Amino acid sequence: MTLPLEGLSAIVTGAGRGLGRAEALELARLGAAVVVNDYGQPGRDGSGEASAAPAEEVAAEIRAGGGRAVAHLGDVADFETARGLVDLAVREFGKLDVLVNNAGILRDRMVFSMTEDEWDAVIRVHLKGHFNTTHFAAVHWRGRAKAGETSVHGRIVNTSSEAFLAGSAGQPNYAAAKGGIVGLTTSTALALAKYGVTVNAICPRARTRMTEDVFAGFAEPGAGELDPLSPEHVAPLVGYLASPAAAGVNGQLLVVHGGMVAVVDRPKVAAKFDTAKAAFTYEELDSLLTPHYAARPAGETFAATEILGLKHE
């Protein structure tokens, strides 16, 4: 039986642990050769010495299962490192077909307490890291198309978060980066569609080293039960989006966790007001907008538990 990703090669960033590890293993299970990238720092805030061990262990696990994999130690937020990562995939496997951007760190703080370094570090790893690898993958696919290849299979799966959708009071840097990733996704999807490349983003919920505090109050699985927040619930969607079957899915945002996938619509206009004169005045806006918002339920906003479909214990 032919596997869905047989003959394809993939890069997964931040794949030494947690969500990235599950995604790399799933892509390999579906037949892809995988470059397992990780910087290997022990701290979820990006602290500690870099180590090849996490990436090497996942690559070894894939090879032990009969798959093809190589490890890559490197910080994808560094432009030249990202170039080298894409070059490695092409050198080892002949081409690159799938890019899964997952690498990230957390440096949580309320906006009034956050330092410049805490802001810059998170934006750098998440948003610039996504751009860097996307840039070099796009150069690779565009070059193949320009050279006359008629069936370029290019897939990018980016990692956003419901911190962007629902708000997260103690994560202004993270929420901003994840919102930026959605903008990068939709822009890149439009730019690369003519080359046969699709670009989508997921908002995963998974209990990992990065999110252990976030999900501390959510129900733990019972004996013998799969954790509804296990990364293994997320990885199959990544495998699908990487496959030929998802050729018609482009520029989309999907929320995924615990046996649920939700397709998120683009923002829609909730209300529209036209001026009675040539231009609005303060008084006219006050007469229109103040009653509109006053009629909405007090404190109406997106709630993370509503979107997740999860409840605290």
Side-chain angles (χ1 to χ4, degrees), residues 10-29 34-39 54-55 57-59 61-62 69-70 99-104 130 157-159 178 202 204-211 229-236 238-239:
I11 290 171
V12 184
T13 72
R17 302 178 179 93
L19 191 58
R21 173 183 175 275
E23 292 166 345
L25 293 174
E26 177 68 4
L27 294 181
R29 188 188 72 80
V34 184
V35 179
V36 180
N37 160 266
D38 203 281
Y39 205 26
E57 288 169 5
V58 175
E61 187 174 352
I62 290 172
V70 294
L99 169 63
V100 180
N101 284 313
N102 174 73
H130 272 60
V157 182
N158 289 330
T159 306
K178 292 305 188 182
I202 62 171
R205 287 295 175 176
R207 203 188 307 268
T208 67
R209 180 181 58 132
M210 277 187 61
T211 61
L229 289 167
S230 168
E232 281 68 31
H233 286 295
V234 176
V238 174

Side-chain angles (χ1 to χ4, degrees), residues 10-14 35-38 70-76 79-91 96 99-101 133 136:
I11 290 171
V12 184
T13 72
V35 179
V36 180
N37 160 266
D38 203 281
V70 294
H72 177 270
L73 169 66
D75 174 12
V76 292
F79 197 65
E80 291 305 317
T81 297
R83 184 200 302 271
L85 174 59
V86 172
D87 287 347
L88 174 63
V90 175
R91 186 168 64 251
L96 173 66
L99 169 63
V100 180
N101 284 313
T133 53
F136 289 110

